Amino acid sequence: MGLTPAGERVWDVAREIFYQEGVRSTGVAEIAERSGVGKPSIYRAFGSKDELAVAYLREKGVSPQEIVETVRAAYPGDPRAQLRRVVAEIAEAIAAPGHRGCPLANTVVEFPDRAHPVRVAAQEQKQRYLELFTELVEPLPLADPGQVAYLIQMLVDGAHITSQVFDAGRSAAGLVTAVDRLLDTFIDQEESDVH
Amino acid sequence: MGLTPAGERVWDVAREIFYQEGVRSTGVAEIAERSGVGKPSIYRAFGSKDELAVAYLREKGVSPQEIVETVRAAYPGDPRAQLRRVVAEIAEAIAAPGHRGCPLANTVVEFPDRAHPVRVAAQEQKQRYLELFTELVEPLPLADPGQVAYLIQMLVDGAHITSQVFDAGRSAAGLVTAVDRLLDTFIDQEESDVH
DNA sequence: GGTGCTTAGTACCGATCGGTACGCATGGAG
DNA sequence: CTCCATGCGTACCGATCGGTACTAAGCACC
């Protein structure tokens, strides 16, 4: 997307502020000030604060196909390692300094109105995360892959929340071990033994 | 606490609105209007919006001792059933209509500033939840009860988030089964077999 | 050297935010 | 009937919200 120099600065600053301070809490004037830009530049580049927020959320989303492809190439024929790799990277991000939970979940919470376009955009991107986990567990010998993917999504979201309230490192480590152990209990032993 | 009639109406309405619409999104004027009360009545009864929010959060918190005592009386000598009961009740609340996640976690997300008194109050109450789970798993034969309690907390928070984005019923059911299965993998078999 | 197009900031808009000064109404005590 | 205390709402405060009208600055083109 062709942005003007002022638009670029706004985009860089807005992504950072929206994540660190929240979408709702952040005023357009603050974005303008920290970008060294006038407010009209923001509206010329993005139309409205909501549209800027939607762009921010879309960038925070993932592409299931892309990630699955990458991880399949890294661990061919080993779906368990593929999933472990994705979960490990999420855990790493959670433990990293400056992390403030899942930007998508945070935005959903910040916008209680289910019809609000910003919330809708956040939910759309979150749906893609669930699709990612669904595709990752699909090759595993599971009776109900959808359920397992949903549980992984729950653990990821839970780690993101607890990392903001308690200890991020503990949340990250807990996420990895919980997914691993939970998966063990769901893997269908008979089929996996066939091999 | 001795509240005037107007204060009582404010309290009833504020609890509901704060939960459904969020603390930050809710204006004092809206609370006054929906309470059929003038704004000064709110400030006379609670001092400020922040203090009203803190009161709301304190009411949403739990008393670990109280709950543990109740559940120990209901399932004496069966710590597994005690924990299952508490988790089941949380799951029930999540699946109930009108639920909008964990009010404490939601408030933490709504207030990115770690020093904000409203966020601090929310975190304090969340700490009590973690204490509750810690006390509940303490009688179980676990190598690291603190870790298991933390994982349960993660699952609860995760269920609360996913219930707002995907399907509340699925989150509730997933919470129950995930805690159960996860606990199985952590229970020290040798000691539990001794009986 | 104008001319027109693009890019930018200053200064303002109405609406809403949390919070308050002030006055009215009620009711028991003397 | 008076007096004072209590409980309450109208109307307002300055600050900030998202958004915009207007204008100045830069620049290719003739």
Side-chain angles (χ1 to χ4, degrees):
Chain A
M1 36 173 149
L3 284 180
T4 65
E8 289 282 3
R9 283 203 302 275
V10 167
W11 177 235
D12 290 337
V13 170
R15 282 182 304 174
E16 179 68 16
I17 301 190
F18 274 160
Y19 180 65
Q20 288 299 334
E21 324 243 354
V23 174
R24 191 145 216 163
S25 319
T26 303
V28 177
E30 186 183 347
I31 299 175
E33 194 181 352
R34 302 246 293 248
S35 308
V37 150
K39 284 205 304 180
S41 292
I42 297 178
Y43 288 93
R44 270 188 291 268
F46 297 97
S48 70
K49 181 191 173 183
D50 283 357
E51 289 179 66
L52 174 56
V54 168
Y56 153 74
L57 293 168
R58 289 210 213 286
E59 202 227 20
K60 288 295 185 182
V62 292
S63 164
Q65 303 94 331
E66 216 174 285
I67 292 182
V68 167
E69 197 177 319
T70 302
V71 88
R72 286 229 207 286
Y75 306 92
D78 190 349
R80 187 73 184 262
Q82 293 158 13
L83 174 62
R84 191 160 22 219
R85 170 64 183 275
V86 171
V87 172
E89 276 183 19
I90 293 173
E92 212 171 300
I94 288 175
H99 192 76
R100 197 185 68 95
C102 171
L104 307 174
N106 290 353
T107 305
V108 167
V109 171
E110 273 193 312
F111 291 82
D113 178 5
R114 291 186 176 273
H116 196 292
V118 173
R119 171 165 177 154
V120 170
Q123 292 201 4
E124 283 172 2
Q125 298 307 316
K126 248 190 139 13
Q127 188 73 44
R128 293 164 69 102
Y129 261 100
L130 184 56
E131 288 168 19
L132 168 63
F133 296 130
T134 305
E135 287 192 34
L136 283 172
V137 302
E138 190 268 335
L140 292 167
L142 298 168
D144 187 350
Q147 182 195 15
V148 176
Y150 198 91
L151 292 182
I152 294 173
Q153 179 70 58
M154 275 176 50
L155 279 167
V156 169
D157 280 324
H160 273 122
I161 290 293
T162 55
S163 76
Q164 298 179 67
V165 181
F166 304 108
D167 184 76
R170 206 168 181 186
S171 297
L175 172 61
V176 172
T177 71
V179 169
D180 214 55
R181 282 175 178 261
L182 208 61
L183 218 57
D184 279 335
T185 76
F186 276 101
I187 296 276
D188 187 346
Q189 295 298 343
E190 298 175 17
E191 286 197 40
S192 71
D193 279 351
V194 170
H195 187 268
Chain B
M1 33 172 151
L3 285 180
T4 65
E8 290 281 4
R9 283 203 302 276
V10 167
W11 177 236
D12 290 338
V13 170
R15 283 181 305 174
E16 178 68 15
I17 301 189
F18 274 159
Y19 180 65
Q20 289 299 334
E21 324 244 356
V23 174
R24 192 144 216 163
S25 320
T26 303
V28 177
E30 186 183 346
I31 298 175
E33 194 181 352
R34 302 244 296 245
S35 307
V37 151
K39 282 205 304 179
S41 292
I42 297 178
Y43 289 92
R44 272 187 291 266
F46 297 96
S48 69
K49 182 193 173 182
D50 283 358
E51 290 179 65
L52 175 56
V54 169
Y56 153 74
L57 292 168
R58 290 210 212 285
E59 201 227 22
K60 288 295 185 183
V62 292
S63 163
Q65 302 93 331
E66 216 173 284
I67 292 182
V68 167
E69 197 177 317
T70 303
V71 87
R72 286 227 207 287
Y75 306 93
D78 190 349
R80 187 71 184 262
Q82 292 160 11
L83 174 62
R84 192 160 23 221
R85 171 63 182 276
V86 171
V87 172
E89 277 183 19
I90 293 173
E92 214 171 300
I94 289 175
H99 191 75
R100 198 184 68 94
C102 171
L104 307 175
N106 290 353
T107 305
V108 168
V109 171
E110 273 193 311
F111 290 82
D113 179 4
R114 290 184 176 273
H116 196 292
V118 173
R119 172 166 175 152
V120 170
Q123 293 201 4
E124 282 172 3
Q125 297 309 315
K126 251 193 134 16
Q127 188 72 44
R128 294 165 69 103
Y129 261 101
L130 184 55
E131 288 168 19
L132 168 62
F133 296 130
T134 304
E135 287 193 33
L136 283 172
V137 302
E138 190 269 334
L140 292 167
L142 298 168
D144 186 350
Q147 182 194 17
V148 175
Y150 198 89
L151 292 183
I152 294 173
Q153 179 70 58
M154 273 177 51
L155 278 166
V156 168
D157 281 325
H160 273 122
I161 290 293
T162 55
S163 76
Q164 298 179 67
V165 182
F166 305 109
D167 183 77
R170 206 168 179 185
S171 297
L175 172 63
V176 171
T177 71
V179 169
D180 214 55
R181 281 174 178 261
L182 208 61
L183 218 59
D184 280 334
T185 77
F186 276 100
I187 296 278
D188 187 347
Q189 294 298 341
E190 298 174 18
E191 288 194 41
S192 71
D193 278 353
V194 171
H195 187 273

